[in-house]
Amino acid sequence: MALISLVFPIFNEEAVLPVLIARLEALLPTLELNGDQIEVLFINDGSRDGSLGQLRELVQTRSWVRVLSFSRNFGHQVAVTAGMHHARGAAVVLLDADLQDPPELLPEMIRLWRDEGWEVVYGKRRSREGETAFKLLTAAIFYKTLQRLTSVAIPENTGDFRLMDRKVVDALNTMGEQHRFLRGMAAWVGFKQHALEYDRPARAAGETKYPFRKMFKLAMDAITGFSYAPLKLSRDLGIFIALAAIAYGVVQAARYAIAPNSFEPGWTSIIVVLSLLSGVQLVTLGLIGEYIGRIYDEVKGRPLYLLSEKLGFRDEDPSQSQSTNSRPS
């Protein structure tokens, strides 16, 4: 018998929670028939709708539900991290509450983990229903770029949907960086990993919690967290422009030496060169600023998240229901 922990980050998911619970309750007998026990951790990431009220009711009526509630919105990646910190299972499964990560795949993921010895079983999207052409295109560009920039092999067309053995979760729990890209971190720790392909359905209800702004931030966290390539690119671009400027100066000097009377100095070339150099300097400073900003966040040493409530943790000291979670040591 194994305890399997299911981790669901929740942010304004009032519309989808009843559907999710119905799907889980239909699945639980199948899992329990195989000798497994299930705990479900919901992490309320500062929801502003009725999600927390529904979660409180679930804790009262279902013994397998546990709830962590943040003091404010800390973000999806931090919410998943909190779930891993508090999960007790021999295996931990990360899923999105919108049911785009089908819980019906759990029996196969558990089988691959238990019977075939895979320590990470991650979902690989064969198709992505209900997503715009723009999102599909930007996702493809992002993964191709990430593959080229990083030395860590991060699988394409994957999200955070994965089952992880306890040893993998323990390894991830030692990693306390503020700007988190969990699918990259899970690839970095290694272990035996297997891709389970599936067709990703459309969101069951509600609206996406990852608009373009958040997707862009996640992409920046991924690139700056796993690659120094942007800094090297700035260096190489600076060297190239410096050499080009020297070559341009040599050509202009030669022209003047050969035919000084025909040489007509103009403002256009000056403005173009100055604008180009200024632009390169600003871009370079911006890239350096991204890394310095992340260093600043790490040096401050603030906790990843703060908890306002812990519900359903019946085997723990009640005095710990109001807690602050700092980084793991």
Side-chain angles (χ1 to χ4, degrees), residues 9 33 68 74 89 114 120 145-146 161 165 173 177 197-198 204 217 228 273 283 297 327:
L33 189 64
L68 301 170
F74 284 91
R114 174 183 287 124
V120 177
T145 303
L146 198 61
F161 181 34
D165 186 84
N173 284 344
E177 56 252 48
E197 293 192 349
Y198 72 105
K217 180 182 181 301
Y228 299 113
V273 171
V283 170
D297 286 338
R327 304 182 189 187

PDB file of all heavy atoms in Angstrom, residues 9 33 68 74 89 114 120 145-146 161 165 173 177 197-198 204 217 228 273 283 297 327:
ATOM      1  N   PRO A   9      -2.852  23.486  -7.306  1.00  0.00           N
ATOM      2  CA  PRO A   9      -2.885  24.923  -7.003  1.00  0.00           C
ATOM      3  C   PRO A   9      -4.238  25.495  -7.417  1.00  0.00           C
ATOM      4  O   PRO A   9      -4.773  25.151  -8.477  1.00  0.00           O
ATOM      5  CB  PRO A   9      -1.749  25.490  -7.870  1.00  0.00           C
ATOM      6  CG  PRO A   9      -1.599  24.522  -8.985  1.00  0.00           C
ATOM      7  CD  PRO A   9      -1.980  23.165  -8.455  1.00  0.00           C
ATOM      8  N   LEU A  33      -8.689   0.319  -5.061  1.00  0.00           N
ATOM      9  CA  LEU A  33      -8.775  -1.100  -5.387  1.00  0.00           C
ATOM     10  C   LEU A  33      -7.385  -1.682  -5.627  1.00  0.00           C
ATOM     11  O   LEU A  33      -7.139  -2.862  -5.376  1.00  0.00           O
ATOM     12  CB  LEU A  33      -9.655  -1.291  -6.632  1.00  0.00           C
ATOM     13  CG  LEU A  33     -10.023  -2.737  -7.000  1.00  0.00           C
ATOM     14  CD1 LEU A  33     -10.885  -3.360  -5.898  1.00  0.00           C
ATOM     15  CD2 LEU A  33     -10.779  -2.777  -8.334  1.00  0.00           C
ATOM     16  N   LEU A  68      -4.101  24.195   2.075  1.00  0.00           N
ATOM     17  CA  LEU A  68      -3.197  25.264   2.490  1.00  0.00           C
ATOM     18  C   LEU A  68      -3.724  26.546   1.863  1.00  0.00           C
ATOM     19  O   LEU A  68      -4.007  26.572   0.666  1.00  0.00           O
ATOM     20  CB  LEU A  68      -1.770  25.009   2.004  1.00  0.00           C
ATOM     21  CG  LEU A  68      -1.091  23.723   2.450  1.00  0.00           C
ATOM     22  CD1 LEU A  68       0.221  23.540   1.675  1.00  0.00           C
ATOM     23  CD2 LEU A  68      -0.822  23.745   3.936  1.00  0.00           C
ATOM     24  N   PHE A  74       0.735  34.313  -4.393  1.00  0.00           N
ATOM     25  CA  PHE A  74       2.185  34.193  -4.563  1.00  0.00           C
ATOM     26  C   PHE A  74       2.557  33.584  -5.909  1.00  0.00           C
ATOM     27  O   PHE A  74       3.731  33.510  -6.244  1.00  0.00           O
ATOM     28  CB  PHE A  74       2.797  33.351  -3.444  1.00  0.00           C
ATOM     29  CG  PHE A  74       2.915  34.076  -2.132  1.00  0.00           C
ATOM     30  CD1 PHE A  74       1.899  34.015  -1.199  1.00  0.00           C
ATOM     31  CD2 PHE A  74       4.035  34.839  -1.834  1.00  0.00           C
ATOM     32  CE1 PHE A  74       1.998  34.690   0.011  1.00  0.00           C
ATOM     33  CE2 PHE A  74       4.145  35.511  -0.627  1.00  0.00           C
ATOM     34  CZ  PHE A  74       3.120  35.444   0.302  1.00  0.00           C
ATOM     35  N   GLY A  89       3.101  11.776   0.586  1.00  0.00           N
ATOM     36  CA  GLY A  89       3.038  10.543  -0.173  1.00  0.00           C
ATOM     37  C   GLY A  89       4.381   9.981  -0.594  1.00  0.00           C
ATOM     38  O   GLY A  89       5.379  10.700  -0.714  1.00  0.00           O
ATOM     39  N   ARG A 114       5.382   2.330 -10.168  1.00  0.00           N
ATOM     40  CA  ARG A 114       5.517   1.179  -9.279  1.00  0.00           C
ATOM     41  C   ARG A 114       6.064  -0.051 -10.001  1.00  0.00           C
ATOM     42  O   ARG A 114       6.987  -0.716  -9.517  1.00  0.00           O
ATOM     43  CB  ARG A 114       4.151   0.850  -8.668  1.00  0.00           C
ATOM     44  CG  ARG A 114       4.177  -0.439  -7.836  1.00  0.00           C
ATOM     45  CD  ARG A 114       2.807  -0.792  -7.312  1.00  0.00           C
ATOM     46  NE  ARG A 114       2.415   0.102  -6.240  1.00  0.00           N
ATOM     47  CZ  ARG A 114       1.308   0.831  -6.239  1.00  0.00           C
ATOM     48  NH1 ARG A 114       0.493   0.784  -7.268  1.00  0.00           N
ATOM     49  NH2 ARG A 114       1.017   1.600  -5.205  1.00  0.00           N
ATOM     50  N   VAL A 120      10.218   9.602 -12.287  1.00  0.00           N
ATOM     51  CA  VAL A 120       9.421  10.747 -12.726  1.00  0.00           C
ATOM     52  C   VAL A 120       8.647  10.314 -13.964  1.00  0.00           C
ATOM     53  O   VAL A 120       9.235   9.816 -14.923  1.00  0.00           O
ATOM     54  CB  VAL A 120      10.300  11.974 -13.074  1.00  0.00           C
ATOM     55  CG1 VAL A 120       9.421  13.120 -13.588  1.00  0.00           C
ATOM     56  CG2 VAL A 120      11.109  12.425 -11.866  1.00  0.00           C
ATOM     57  N   THR A 145      13.738  27.734 -28.190  1.00  0.00           N
ATOM     58  CA  THR A 145      14.741  28.675 -27.677  1.00  0.00           C
ATOM     59  C   THR A 145      15.394  28.138 -26.415  1.00  0.00           C
ATOM     60  O   THR A 145      16.617  28.205 -26.238  1.00  0.00           O
ATOM     61  CB  THR A 145      14.101  30.043 -27.393  1.00  0.00           C
ATOM     62  OG1 THR A 145      13.475  30.536 -28.584  1.00  0.00           O
ATOM     63  CG2 THR A 145      15.136  31.046 -26.918  1.00  0.00           C
ATOM     64  N   LEU A 146      14.559  27.596 -25.524  1.00  0.00           N
ATOM     65  CA  LEU A 146      15.075  27.068 -24.259  1.00  0.00           C
ATOM     66  C   LEU A 146      16.039  25.910 -24.498  1.00  0.00           C
ATOM     67  O   LEU A 146      17.067  25.792 -23.820  1.00  0.00           O
ATOM     68  CB  LEU A 146      13.893  26.620 -23.389  1.00  0.00           C
ATOM     69  CG  LEU A 146      14.164  26.439 -21.891  1.00  0.00           C
ATOM     70  CD1 LEU A 146      14.609  27.760 -21.267  1.00  0.00           C
ATOM     71  CD2 LEU A 146      12.906  25.930 -21.187  1.00  0.00           C
ATOM     72  N   PHE A 161       2.531  18.898 -15.023  1.00  0.00           N
ATOM     73  CA  PHE A 161       1.798  17.654 -14.808  1.00  0.00           C
ATOM     74  C   PHE A 161       2.777  16.489 -14.788  1.00  0.00           C
ATOM     75  O   PHE A 161       3.334  16.116 -15.813  1.00  0.00           O
ATOM     76  CB  PHE A 161       0.765  17.486 -15.923  1.00  0.00           C
ATOM     77  CG  PHE A 161      -0.081  16.241 -15.811  1.00  0.00           C
ATOM     78  CD1 PHE A 161      -0.447  15.719 -14.578  1.00  0.00           C
ATOM     79  CD2 PHE A 161      -0.540  15.598 -16.957  1.00  0.00           C
ATOM     80  CE1 PHE A 161      -1.233  14.585 -14.474  1.00  0.00           C
ATOM     81  CE2 PHE A 161      -1.331  14.475 -16.881  1.00  0.00           C
ATOM     82  CZ  PHE A 161      -1.681  13.961 -15.637  1.00  0.00           C
ATOM     83  N   ASP A 165       8.585  10.441  -7.617  1.00  0.00           N
ATOM     84  CA  ASP A 165       8.914   9.613  -6.457  1.00  0.00           C
ATOM     85  C   ASP A 165       9.324  10.501  -5.283  1.00  0.00           C
ATOM     86  O   ASP A 165       9.785  11.634  -5.468  1.00  0.00           O
ATOM     87  CB  ASP A 165      10.046   8.658  -6.829  1.00  0.00           C
ATOM     88  CG  ASP A 165      10.354   7.670  -5.730  1.00  0.00           C
ATOM     89  OD1 ASP A 165       9.671   6.647  -5.663  1.00  0.00           O
ATOM     90  OD2 ASP A 165      11.287   7.941  -4.931  1.00  0.00           O
ATOM     91  N   ASN A 173      12.674  19.844  -2.895  1.00  0.00           N
ATOM     92  CA  ASN A 173      12.383  20.630  -1.695  1.00  0.00           C
ATOM     93  C   ASN A 173      13.628  21.275  -1.084  1.00  0.00           C
ATOM     94  O   ASN A 173      13.517  22.139  -0.214  1.00  0.00           O
ATOM     95  CB  ASN A 173      11.682  19.774  -0.647  1.00  0.00           C
ATOM     96  CG  ASN A 173      10.223  19.536  -0.977  1.00  0.00           C
ATOM     97  OD1 ASN A 173       9.638  20.234  -1.815  1.00  0.00           O
ATOM     98  ND2 ASN A 173       9.616  18.551  -0.338  1.00  0.00           N
ATOM     99  N   GLU A 177      15.128  28.578  -4.615  1.00  0.00           N
ATOM    100  CA  GLU A 177      15.191  29.828  -5.377  1.00  0.00           C
ATOM    101  C   GLU A 177      13.819  30.484  -5.491  1.00  0.00           C
ATOM    102  O   GLU A 177      12.785  29.818  -5.535  1.00  0.00           O
ATOM    103  CB  GLU A 177      15.780  29.595  -6.768  1.00  0.00           C
ATOM    104  CG  GLU A 177      15.063  28.553  -7.593  1.00  0.00           C
ATOM    105  CD  GLU A 177      15.877  27.295  -7.733  1.00  0.00           C
ATOM    106  OE1 GLU A 177      16.388  26.816  -6.701  1.00  0.00           O
ATOM    107  OE2 GLU A 177      16.002  26.792  -8.861  1.00  0.00           O
ATOM    108  N   GLU A 197       2.505  10.298 -23.117  1.00  0.00           N
ATOM    109  CA  GLU A 197       1.820  11.178 -24.055  1.00  0.00           C
ATOM    110  C   GLU A 197       0.314  11.143 -23.831  1.00  0.00           C
ATOM    111  O   GLU A 197      -0.262  10.091 -23.517  1.00  0.00           O
ATOM    112  CB  GLU A 197       2.147  10.778 -25.500  1.00  0.00           C
ATOM    113  CG  GLU A 197       3.599  11.015 -25.877  1.00  0.00           C
ATOM    114  CD  GLU A 197       3.828  10.881 -27.368  1.00  0.00           C
ATOM    115  OE1 GLU A 197       2.917  10.407 -28.076  1.00  0.00           O
ATOM    116  OE2 GLU A 197       4.925  11.258 -27.829  1.00  0.00           O
ATOM    117  N   TYR A 198      -0.310  12.302 -24.011  1.00  0.00           N
ATOM    118  CA  TYR A 198      -1.762  12.387 -23.849  1.00  0.00           C
ATOM    119  C   TYR A 198      -2.282  13.571 -24.657  1.00  0.00           C
ATOM    120  O   TYR A 198      -1.525  14.469 -25.040  1.00  0.00           O
ATOM    121  CB  TYR A 198      -2.136  12.541 -22.374  1.00  0.00           C
ATOM    122  CG  TYR A 198      -1.812  13.889 -21.762  1.00  0.00           C
ATOM    123  CD1 TYR A 198      -2.823  14.826 -21.512  1.00  0.00           C
ATOM    124  CD2 TYR A 198      -0.506  14.240 -21.433  1.00  0.00           C
ATOM    125  CE1 TYR A 198      -2.529  16.058 -20.942  1.00  0.00           C
ATOM    126  CE2 TYR A 198      -0.205  15.467 -20.874  1.00  0.00           C
ATOM    127  CZ  TYR A 198      -1.220  16.370 -20.627  1.00  0.00           C
ATOM    128  OH  TYR A 198      -0.928  17.603 -20.073  1.00  0.00           O
ATOM    129  N   ALA A 204     -12.001  22.838 -18.327  1.00  0.00           N
ATOM    130  CA  ALA A 204     -13.350  22.363 -18.025  1.00  0.00           C
ATOM    131  C   ALA A 204     -14.311  23.507 -17.716  1.00  0.00           C
ATOM    132  O   ALA A 204     -15.498  23.440 -18.047  1.00  0.00           O
ATOM    133  CB  ALA A 204     -13.305  21.388 -16.848  1.00  0.00           C
ATOM    134  N   LYS A 217       6.619  36.201 -18.128  1.00  0.00           N
ATOM    135  CA  LYS A 217       7.405  36.157 -16.890  1.00  0.00           C
ATOM    136  C   LYS A 217       7.949  34.748 -16.641  1.00  0.00           C
ATOM    137  O   LYS A 217       9.116  34.581 -16.247  1.00  0.00           O
ATOM    138  CB  LYS A 217       6.554  36.598 -15.699  1.00  0.00           C
ATOM    139  CG  LYS A 217       7.306  36.583 -14.365  1.00  0.00           C
ATOM    140  CD  LYS A 217       6.411  36.971 -13.215  1.00  0.00           C
ATOM    141  CE  LYS A 217       7.204  36.962 -11.899  1.00  0.00           C
ATOM    142  NZ  LYS A 217       7.789  35.639 -11.599  1.00  0.00           N
ATOM    143  N   TYR A 228      23.055  31.284 -18.894  1.00  0.00           N
ATOM    144  CA  TYR A 228      23.762  32.567 -18.933  1.00  0.00           C
ATOM    145  C   TYR A 228      23.872  33.083 -20.365  1.00  0.00           C
ATOM    146  O   TYR A 228      24.538  34.081 -20.622  1.00  0.00           O
ATOM    147  CB  TYR A 228      25.182  32.408 -18.367  1.00  0.00           C
ATOM    148  CG  TYR A 228      25.223  31.962 -16.925  1.00  0.00           C
ATOM    149  CD1 TYR A 228      25.733  30.710 -16.577  1.00  0.00           C
ATOM    150  CD2 TYR A 228      24.764  32.789 -15.916  1.00  0.00           C
ATOM    151  CE1 TYR A 228      25.777  30.290 -15.258  1.00  0.00           C
ATOM    152  CE2 TYR A 228      24.808  32.385 -14.583  1.00  0.00           C
ATOM    153  CZ  TYR A 228      25.308  31.143 -14.263  1.00  0.00           C
ATOM    154  OH  TYR A 228      25.339  30.742 -12.958  1.00  0.00           O
ATOM    155  N   VAL A 273      24.666  55.154 -36.346  1.00  0.00           N
ATOM    156  CA  VAL A 273      25.629  54.463 -35.487  1.00  0.00           C
ATOM    157  C   VAL A 273      25.359  54.748 -34.018  1.00  0.00           C
ATOM    158  O   VAL A 273      25.362  53.834 -33.179  1.00  0.00           O
ATOM    159  CB  VAL A 273      27.066  54.865 -35.866  1.00  0.00           C
ATOM    160  CG1 VAL A 273      28.059  54.328 -34.845  1.00  0.00           C
ATOM    161  CG2 VAL A 273      27.423  54.346 -37.249  1.00  0.00           C
ATOM    162  N   VAL A 283      19.762  47.482 -24.194  1.00  0.00           N
ATOM    163  CA  VAL A 283      19.361  46.074 -24.157  1.00  0.00           C
ATOM    164  C   VAL A 283      20.289  45.284 -23.245  1.00  0.00           C
ATOM    165  O   VAL A 283      19.853  44.459 -22.431  1.00  0.00           O
ATOM    166  CB  VAL A 283      19.353  45.480 -25.576  1.00  0.00           C
ATOM    167  CG1 VAL A 283      19.184  43.964 -25.523  1.00  0.00           C
ATOM    168  CG2 VAL A 283      18.232  46.096 -26.407  1.00  0.00           C
ATOM    169  N   ASP A 297      16.605  39.459  -5.210  1.00  0.00           N
ATOM    170  CA  ASP A 297      15.525  38.701  -4.575  1.00  0.00           C
ATOM    171  C   ASP A 297      16.066  37.549  -3.736  1.00  0.00           C
ATOM    172  O   ASP A 297      15.532  37.249  -2.659  1.00  0.00           O
ATOM    173  CB  ASP A 297      14.574  38.158  -5.639  1.00  0.00           C
ATOM    174  CG  ASP A 297      13.683  39.242  -6.224  1.00  0.00           C
ATOM    175  OD1 ASP A 297      13.483  40.278  -5.558  1.00  0.00           O
ATOM    176  OD2 ASP A 297      13.184  39.058  -7.354  1.00  0.00           O
ATOM    177  N   ARG A 327      12.235  29.106   3.338  1.00  0.00           N
ATOM    178  CA  ARG A 327      12.884  28.199   2.416  1.00  0.00           C
ATOM    179  C   ARG A 327      13.416  26.977   3.150  1.00  0.00           C
ATOM    180  O   ARG A 327      13.831  27.070   4.295  1.00  0.00           O
ATOM    181  CB  ARG A 327      14.065  28.899   1.725  1.00  0.00           C
ATOM    182  CG  ARG A 327      13.676  30.160   1.022  1.00  0.00           C
ATOM    183  CD  ARG A 327      14.912  30.713   0.364  1.00  0.00           C
ATOM    184  NE  ARG A 327      14.671  32.047  -0.177  1.00  0.00           N
ATOM    185  CZ  ARG A 327      15.525  32.685  -0.912  1.00  0.00           C
ATOM    186  NH1 ARG A 327      16.689  32.166  -1.186  1.00  0.00           N
ATOM    187  NH2 ARG A 327      15.238  33.886  -1.374  1.00  0.00           N
TER     188      ARG A 327
END
